[in-house]
Amino acid sequence: MRRLLAVLTSAALLAGCGWSGEDATATGGGGTIEYWLWDSGQQPGYQKCADEFAKRNPGLRVRISQYGWDVYWSKLTAGFIADTAPDVFTDHLAKFAQFVDLGVLRPLDELGPTSDLNDADYQEGLAELWKGQDGKRYGAPKDWDTIALFYDPVAVEEAGIDPATLQSLTWNPRDGGTFEKTVARLTVDNNGIRGDEPGFDKDNVRQYGFGSDGAGGAGWGQTQWSAFTGSAGWQATDRNPWGSRFNLDQPVFQQTLDWYFGLARKGYMPSFAEIGGNNPVGPDKEIQSGLAAMALDGSWKISTYTNLTDAAGTKLKVGIAPTPIGPSGKRASMFNGLADSVTTLSKQPENAAKWVKFLSGAECQNIIGESGVVFPARPSGTERAVAYNREERGLDVTPFTDQVKQKTTFLFPVTTNAADITALMVPRMDAVYIGDAPVSSMTSLNDQLNTLFEVAR
Amino acid sequence: MATVTPVRKRPPDDTKLALLFIAPALIGFVVFMLWPTLRGIWLSFTRFNLLTAPEWIGFDNYVRMVQDPVFWNALKVTVYYVVVNIALQTALALAIAVMMQRLTKRTWLRGIVLTPYLVSNVVAAMIFLWILDYQLGIGNKVIELIGLDRVAFLADSAWVIPTIAVINVWRHVGYTALLIFAGLQTIPESMYEAGRVDGASELTMFRRITLPLLRPILALVLIITVVGSFQVFDTVAITTRGGPVDSSRVLQYYIYDMAFGRFQFGYASAMSVGLLAVLVVITFLQYRLTRASSSDLA
């Protein structure tokens, strides 16, 4: 459903872009830099950056095209083959290693304007992630994201839960801790009986305490189980970035998954079928429709949540709490970031690098910070985004930023062969979520992943 | 002929004109069918990631194919889909065609039967995805209204293939019915008159006259629809993307994902050649078993 909506919105936006696009080709000529991104929410902010860039660089202009997540990557791949790829595009950590292997990314160190990018200008650790195994830089950091709990304050109040307790929830794989107690309390069946009360009917639930974003096979459980495996002290690979041995066979991982997907078996979290299978509705829609009272989601969704409305069009209130503290005694969140990459197919790499330099610079990142959609990679931009949310939306987004401040983040597992890993992981993780396979099946998946890297080597 | 009767004037040589008329179809066939097929067969013997030059690896891809459990599962899922899809579609289309011929001759009715075919596969898949959505779909609301439990049509491994098959039946049945209807038109009305004189019922006439005389057309329709059905892709790509787990991972979708998602074009080509071989065998068998080239209308 979410993807459908994304496709539809992108179609609508494309239709809108058509006009300015035609103008651009008529007047811009060779100085038009093609720039692609997938998040429609970020397009207005980057359009402002593009306008500013055009003012600074007479003769150059940027044409932004936006495509929904799924379409984006297939269109990009097709573009590399058919020589219709953009000059600059928004890149993802899960994808860039493959592109480096395919030889379609230009090292930014070799381009004049971007040769002097400084790692220290960005939030700690972000810039290093975008260096390939050859040590060259393939992306200029644009933003970062972490995970937190979004909750429906009305549902929390009805359950008689003090919202302050949500700020310090704990969990463990044995009984789930105060986190699971809260989730059970927030779950209500069709007869109005709560999940922690006798007579609770787990097969006919009206409101789940904890929403679901699928099995998490495609992004290392980023918005699903990564906050739990992370706070249990688990790492996906032997080293990061560029790990080549996997840790899915470790008991700590399998116990955590067993507990996590157990929430669905207990009736506290919707099943694979209920969220729409491979077309999941997404945690934001689950909270909006009242299917879930609380859900993990990424900081890039803040504006989506603050714009949620009920059927009558009234804005819904939303609260944010940090990820629960785990057996390691700490909370944890995956720390991921996007960057801009220049393609080898670009006919004007120096101009493209100029635009990348501008995108990664303080001015553009401050503009993005003030649009309040994502946290820019530069600390000054991040501060502006926090201030925007506090002043304009009355929303405290520190549950996202504290993870970085308190160094409780772990990095997205960056590896080669990412497409193969996804293709192998998605069906196996889905099978565990559905209940078709035991969590111990992760051991054979781990062998497959290890073999993949031995063969590749 | 010309050699036997040398006295007669040779008929004008129209080879050149014939070639001219054939050319558009021939060029299209060579450029869009024959050449890609040959190149695909060649690529199946290489390791090729689309962006760097292919590297010859002999039969490695085929060895991998035979050992790949996902490939065999995909083949099984595809056959399951084809059986459900073709059985339902052919039966329904035959019923609709016979009704169109025996009960009414109204043109607007024939038009309505064909309308789903005018909707693109992707649009049809999206609309059904909405209708059948577990939470919000109107289809599930109706099922709840009549007192049954909601069904996760496109998210439950037992339901996905039948659901996708029915979606495609909905779209294609009108077209198939029209093809069969055209076949029915070739059966002379006198046959039915004779039948009526002998006191045969509608049902007997259907079994004894319609079906036997329709056999060559029905065979052709089957061959065309089975080949098309084996290539199911867009409905799967929109509604389930192969899931849950591998329960709707049909061969075409697996091939597509291998080529454009995982950049393993060589292996994807090998699997395409595998599909081609399966289709050749099935078409040959169908052709022989249904005696499609001969008619009983003598």
Side-chain angles (χ1 to χ4, degrees):
Chain A
M1 207 57 189
R2 179 186 56 187
R3 292 210 166 74
L4 271 183
L5 287 172
V7 168
L8 286 179
T9 13
S10 54
L13 278 164
L14 268 181
C17 279
W19 288 102
S20 58
E22 276 160 35
D23 288 343
T25 35
T27 56
T32 303
I33 299 163
E34 296 287 339
Y35 179 58
W36 286 11
L37 47 79
W38 65 78
D39 187 352
S40 58
Q42 296 182 36
Q43 194 173 3
Y46 283 108
Q47 188 57 53
K48 273 188 204 163
C49 285
D51 295 343
E52 201 56 43
F53 177 76
K55 250 187 248 166
R56 297 291 162 79
N57 299 281
L60 284 184
R61 54 172 301 164
V62 177
R63 178 159 62 178
I64 303 179
S65 305
Q66 183 266 342
Y67 307 99
W69 172 264
D70 280 338
V71 187
Y72 184 84
W73 297 107
S74 38
K75 222 176 147 51
L76 195 64
T77 313
F80 287 138
I81 298 158
D83 199 5
T84 54
D87 297 296
V88 182
F89 71 98
T90 307
D91 207 346
H92 192 274
L93 279 176
K95 309 269 181 182
F96 100 98
Q98 194 112 39
F99 291 142
V100 171
D101 287 346
L102 292 172
V104 292
L105 301 187
R106 206 177 265 277
L108 296 179
D109 333 62
E110 292 166 13
L111 294 168
T114 45
S115 58
D116 60 344
L117 287 178
N118 185 1
D119 292 359
D121 287 345
Y122 305 98
Q123 296 282 6
E124 201 182 326
L126 275 188
E128 284 85 349
L129 283 174
W130 289 95
K131 289 180 185 164
Q133 280 173 298
D134 53 7
K136 290 177 181 163
R137 189 195 301 278
Y138 289 99
K142 59 192 299 161
D143 62 29
W144 59 268
D145 53 73
T146 51
I147 304 300
L149 277 170
F150 286 91
Y151 64 87
D152 171 7
V154 180
V156 169
E157 199 193 317
E158 279 171 0
I161 295 169
D162 176 5
T165 61
L166 298 179
Q167 302 295 323
S168 53
L169 294 174
T170 61
W171 81 275
N172 63 67
R174 291 177 312 282
D175 62 7
T178 57
F179 173 77
E180 186 172 328
K181 281 201 184 72
T182 307
V183 167
R185 182 77 198 149
L186 285 168
T187 304
V188 186
D189 73 8
N190 284 348
N191 301 319
I193 298 172
R194 292 189 174 270
D196 59 350
E197 292 167 350
F200 167 67
D201 177 5
K202 71 185 175 75
D203 296 319
N204 293 293
V205 175
R206 190 179 73 209
Q207 170 184 290
Y208 290 96
F210 191 46
S212 163
D213 198 13
W220 292 105
Q222 186 180 21
T223 52
Q224 295 85 8
W225 37 264
S226 72
F228 301 106
T229 53
S231 60
W234 180 77
Q235 291 283 343
T237 47
D238 53 350
R239 60 203 150 89
N240 195 20
W242 314 119
S244 59
R245 304 287 298 172
F246 294 83
N247 294 332
L248 280 72
D249 56 343
Q250 290 181 357
V252 57
F253 174 72
Q254 299 193 356
Q255 282 161 9
T256 304
L257 276 200
D258 198 32
W259 167 80
Y260 177 81
F261 290 122
L263 292 174
R265 291 193 293 274
K266 291 171 191 162
Y268 299 159
M269 180 168 86
S271 68
F272 181 81
E274 280 171 297
I275 58 160
N278 277 5
N279 290 291
V281 289
D284 50 329
K285 301 276 182 322
E286 290 167 26
I287 289 185
Q288 182 179 27
S289 64
L291 181 71
M294 188 165 77
L296 284 173
D297 215 335
S299 53
W300 64 90
K301 293 278 279 288
I302 293 173
S303 64
T304 308
Y305 280 91
T306 51
N307 287 328
L308 291 182
T309 56
D310 63 12
T314 327
K315 273 211 173 169
L316 294 173
K317 275 196 164 175
V318 64
I320 305 175
T323 57
I325 297 162
S328 68
K330 286 183 189 165
R331 50 179 105 259
S333 163
M334 192 181 273
F335 191 37
N336 182 37
L338 306 183
D340 292 304
S341 296
V342 176
T343 65
T344 47
L345 286 84
S346 173
K347 312 272 185 303
Q348 40 175 346
E350 291 290 320
N351 288 342
K354 249 187 211 171
W355 167 236
V356 170
K357 174 82 174 174
F358 187 76
L359 284 169
S360 60
E363 195 177 347
C364 175
Q365 300 216 341
N366 286 347
I367 294 176
I368 298 300
E370 279 158 16
S371 72
V373 180
V374 288
F375 295 122
R378 284 174 178 263
S380 67
T382 302
E383 278 160 29
R384 275 163 212 254
V386 173
Y388 177 91
N389 277 296
R390 191 177 52 232
E391 283 148 25
E392 302 291 319
R393 293 177 175 146
L395 196 66
D396 178 16
V397 293
T398 50
F400 290 107
T401 52
D402 279 353
Q403 300 264 13
V404 181
K405 258 189 209 149
Q406 295 163 6
K407 299 194 188 304
T408 48
T409 59
F410 59 95
L411 297 171
F412 184 93
V414 175
T415 61
T416 53
N417 302 318
D420 287 320
I421 295 176
T422 305
L424 290 172
M425 275 186 77
V426 167
R428 300 279 81 79
M429 297 293 310
D430 284 354
V432 174
Y433 187 5
I434 294 166
D436 283 354
V439 73
S440 56
S441 65
M442 289 292 115
T443 305
S444 64
L445 171 63
N446 199 60
D447 293 341
Q448 274 183 299
L449 295 179
N450 284 336
T451 316
L452 185 71
F453 277 73
E454 275 155 28
V455 173
R457 201 179 301 122
Chain B
M1 281 288 266
T3 45
V4 186
T5 51
V7 216
R8 263 178 67 179
K9 207 179 145 201
R10 284 166 74 104
D13 182 15
D14 50 7
T15 317
K16 276 184 188 154
L17 192 67
L19 277 177
L20 188 73
F21 281 122
I22 295 170
L26 191 69
I27 291 170
F29 177 75
V30 170
V31 173
F32 295 110
M33 311 286 273
L34 191 65
W35 171 243
T37 307
L38 293 178
R39 187 170 156 76
I41 293 173
W42 177 68
L43 283 175
S44 72
F45 294 103
T46 66
R47 185 180 292 126
F48 180 39
N49 70 8
L50 291 164
L51 292 165
T52 51
E55 171 198 347
W56 182 268
I57 53 164
F59 281 92
D60 282 12
N61 285 326
Y62 289 94
V63 173
R64 178 178 167 194
M65 183 169 95
V66 176
Q67 294 168 345
D68 182 358
V70 184
F71 169 79
W72 291 109
N73 181 67
L75 198 59
K76 212 174 68 189
V77 169
T78 311
V79 170
Y80 176 36
Y81 166 82
V82 171
V83 168
V84 178
N85 178 242
I86 294 300
L88 226 99
Q89 180 170 297
T90 312
L92 268 176
L94 191 60
I96 292 172
V98 170
M99 280 195 279
M100 278 201 293
Q101 198 208 11
R102 308 296 297 156
L103 299 182
T104 172
K105 302 246 153 138
R106 293 207 179 97
T107 329
W108 62 268
L109 205 71
R110 289 178 206 165
I112 286 178
V113 167
L114 196 64
T115 38
Y117 190 68
L118 303 178
V119 180
S120 101
N121 264 340
V122 172
V123 173
M126 277 193 159
I127 290 170
F128 273 98
L129 187 61
W130 280 332
I131 293 175
L132 300 176
D133 185 89
Y134 190 81
Q135 300 292 344
L136 316 158
I138 190 163
N140 267 314
K141 296 280 176 217
V142 171
I143 289 175
E144 266 194 330
L145 269 183
I146 52 177
L148 299 170
D149 280 342
R150 282 188 283 186
V151 179
F153 288 101
L154 291 164
D156 183 323
S157 37
W159 278 96
V160 275
I161 284 295
T163 306
I164 293 170
V166 169
I167 293 173
N168 285 336
V169 166
W170 175 79
R171 199 184 100 84
H172 289 278
V173 74
Y175 181 68
T176 315
L178 214 65
L179 287 180
I180 297 176
F181 178 67
L184 289 176
Q185 305 285 61
T186 62
I187 302 173
E189 186 58 29
S190 57
M191 296 277 180
Y192 294 101
E193 277 162 19
R196 264 192 294 273
V197 169
D198 290 342
S201 68
E202 263 316 304
L203 207 67
T204 317
M205 286 199 285
F206 174 73
R207 277 197 301 124
R208 296 290 169 83
I209 300 174
T210 311
L211 269 190
L213 293 181
L214 197 60
R215 188 182 40 74
I217 295 288
L218 217 49
L220 176 84
V221 167
L222 266 180
I223 290 173
I224 292 174
T225 52
V226 165
V227 170
S229 185
F230 259 98
Q231 297 179 17
V232 56
F233 170 76
D234 21 24
T235 320
V236 173
I238 296 287
T239 56
T240 64
R241 275 173 286 134
V245 194
D246 287 328
S247 56
S248 65
R249 201 170 303 279
V250 291
L251 205 46
Q252 285 276 3
Y253 190 77
Y254 188 46
I255 292 171
Y256 161 80
D257 194 43
M258 194 57 77
F260 297 97
R262 300 170 70 176
F263 306 100
Q264 300 184 22
F265 215 81
Y267 183 43
S269 299
M271 289 195 288
S272 305
V273 174
L275 178 61
L276 177 72
V278 169
L279 287 181
V280 167
V281 170
I282 286 179
T283 307
F284 179 76
L285 284 179
Q286 275 184 317
Y287 199 80
R288 295 303 291 270
L289 290 176
T290 54
R291 293 179 290 126
S293 54
S294 64
S295 171
D296 294 336
L297 195 67

